Each structure stands twice: as C-alpha cells, then as structure tokens.
Amino acid sequence: MVITATDPESSGIIGKGEFSNKEHVHVQKEKDRYRSELVTFHDFFNFKNLGLIIDESPVQQLAQVVKVVDEVASENNFNVIKCEGPIFSEASENKLDTLSRCVLELKDKIDALYLPVGFAVNDDFYQSIEPLIKNEIPTFSQHGDSQVQRT
C-alpha cells in the first residue's frame, strides 16, 4: 500500500489510469493533481519563464514531478529554467544552500518559480527566498502552506 507518493504514475510505482495496474499494489492518488495546480498557477500569472529548483538525482526528480512540469510547459508554451543541487542526499549539509544559490542564479531569468518538495521550513527559508519577494516573483510551493506562512 502506497499512501504518500507524490506522483505514483511518473515515478513508475503504477501505470496511468484511475486505478492501480498492479494487483499487489494499492495507491491512493489524486489524478492530475500536480498538473492541475501548475496549469492554474500559469493561468493566473501567465509567466513565460518558470524557474524550477530540483534535486540533482534523476531518481529524486521523480518525486519532484519534473516530468509533469516539463509536459505542462510544452502544452502551455512556457520555458522551464532548472537549477539543480543536492536537496535530498545525505551528503547535503544544508539544503537551504542549494535553495539560496538557485534563487540567486534564477531570479533575473524567471518571472515565476515552482518550488517542489524537499526544502525544510525554518527561519532561514525566508532569507533564502527573499530575492524572489523583492523582485515580486510569484512562487508556488508544492510543499504547502507552511512555506507560504514563513513569508
């Protein structure tokens, strides 16, 4: 039984469709959740260049729905500008170093940011994304309201 998979289809846990295509696997899923969120974000802000901060590991990128972001970008005619770094790896001393570096690298190239799961919410989080706020860059947090409340 899989309860908390970010995107069980893209990650290969199960195939596409309303129900699991594997008899021995039960997955709760909200079909097209991340696609719908991203399309709504684009409809609202009509950005042309979306920043995406992701883990450097292709395996971890499955959990960060990178494939879905790329598909929605292609369908809606916007660019995805990616910045990669160690986010989930145990070798990553400070995940916020990756966030801070990528925000500085992307802030003048993007007009919106999609922030996938992987970043802890603590007092340094606001400091890391402050350049986005100063540049009035709309930012979508896949993690949820705990990141939004910190701003």
Side-chain angles (χ1 to χ4, degrees):
M1 179 178 284
V2 179
I3 297 174
T4 61
T6 302
D7 185 351
E9 293 174 0
S10 293
S11 64
I13 295 171
I14 60 169
K16 292 192 179 278
E18 186 175 349
F19 301 101
S20 172
N21 62 336
K22 298 177 181 174
E23 289 182 27
H24 63 285
V25 179
H26 173 77
V27 178
Q28 273 311 111
K29 63 180 179 174
E30 187 176 337
K31 193 173 183 323
D32 296 327
R33 170 184 171 191
Y34 297 106
R35 174 178 299 280
S36 297
E37 290 174 346
L38 188 53
V39 167
T40 300
F41 184 51
H42 181 256
D43 287 349
F44 192 82
F45 291 103
N46 197 30
F47 46 81
K48 299 292 181 211
N49 295 301
L50 178 69
L52 182 63
I53 302 173
I54 52 176
D55 193 86
E56 59 197 358
S57 163
V59 172
Q60 295 298 341
Q61 290 175 11
L62 293 173
Q64 294 182 306
V65 298
V66 174
K67 181 179 175 185
V68 172
V69 173
D70 288 338
E71 288 171 0
V72 172
S74 176
E75 294 163 5
N76 291 274
N77 299 315
F78 63 85
N79 301 309
V80 178
I81 302 170
K82 298 173 184 167
C83 182
E84 297 181 3
I87 297 170
F88 291 107
S89 104
E90 291 179 26
S92 174
E93 292 290 319
N94 186 354
K95 298 170 187 191
L96 290 174
D97 288 346
T98 298
L99 178 61
S100 296
R101 176 184 56 80
C102 285
V103 164
L104 291 175
E105 188 177 307
L106 293 172
K107 71 179 177 70
D108 295 324
K109 300 174 185 175
I110 61 172
D111 50 351
L113 179 78
Y114 187 79
L115 190 59
V117 295
F119 297 101
V121 180
N122 60 30
D123 293 335
D124 295 331
F125 180 78
Y126 174 81
Q127 184 176 347
S128 297
I129 66 165
E130 192 172 15
L132 300 173
I133 295 167
K134 285 183 178 179
N135 283 8
E136 298 182 352
I137 296 173
T139 302
F140 183 94
S141 167
Q142 189 185 62
H143 183 77
D145 63 343
S146 60
Q147 288 181 342
V148 175
Q149 289 172 354
R150 284 290 180 163
T151 61

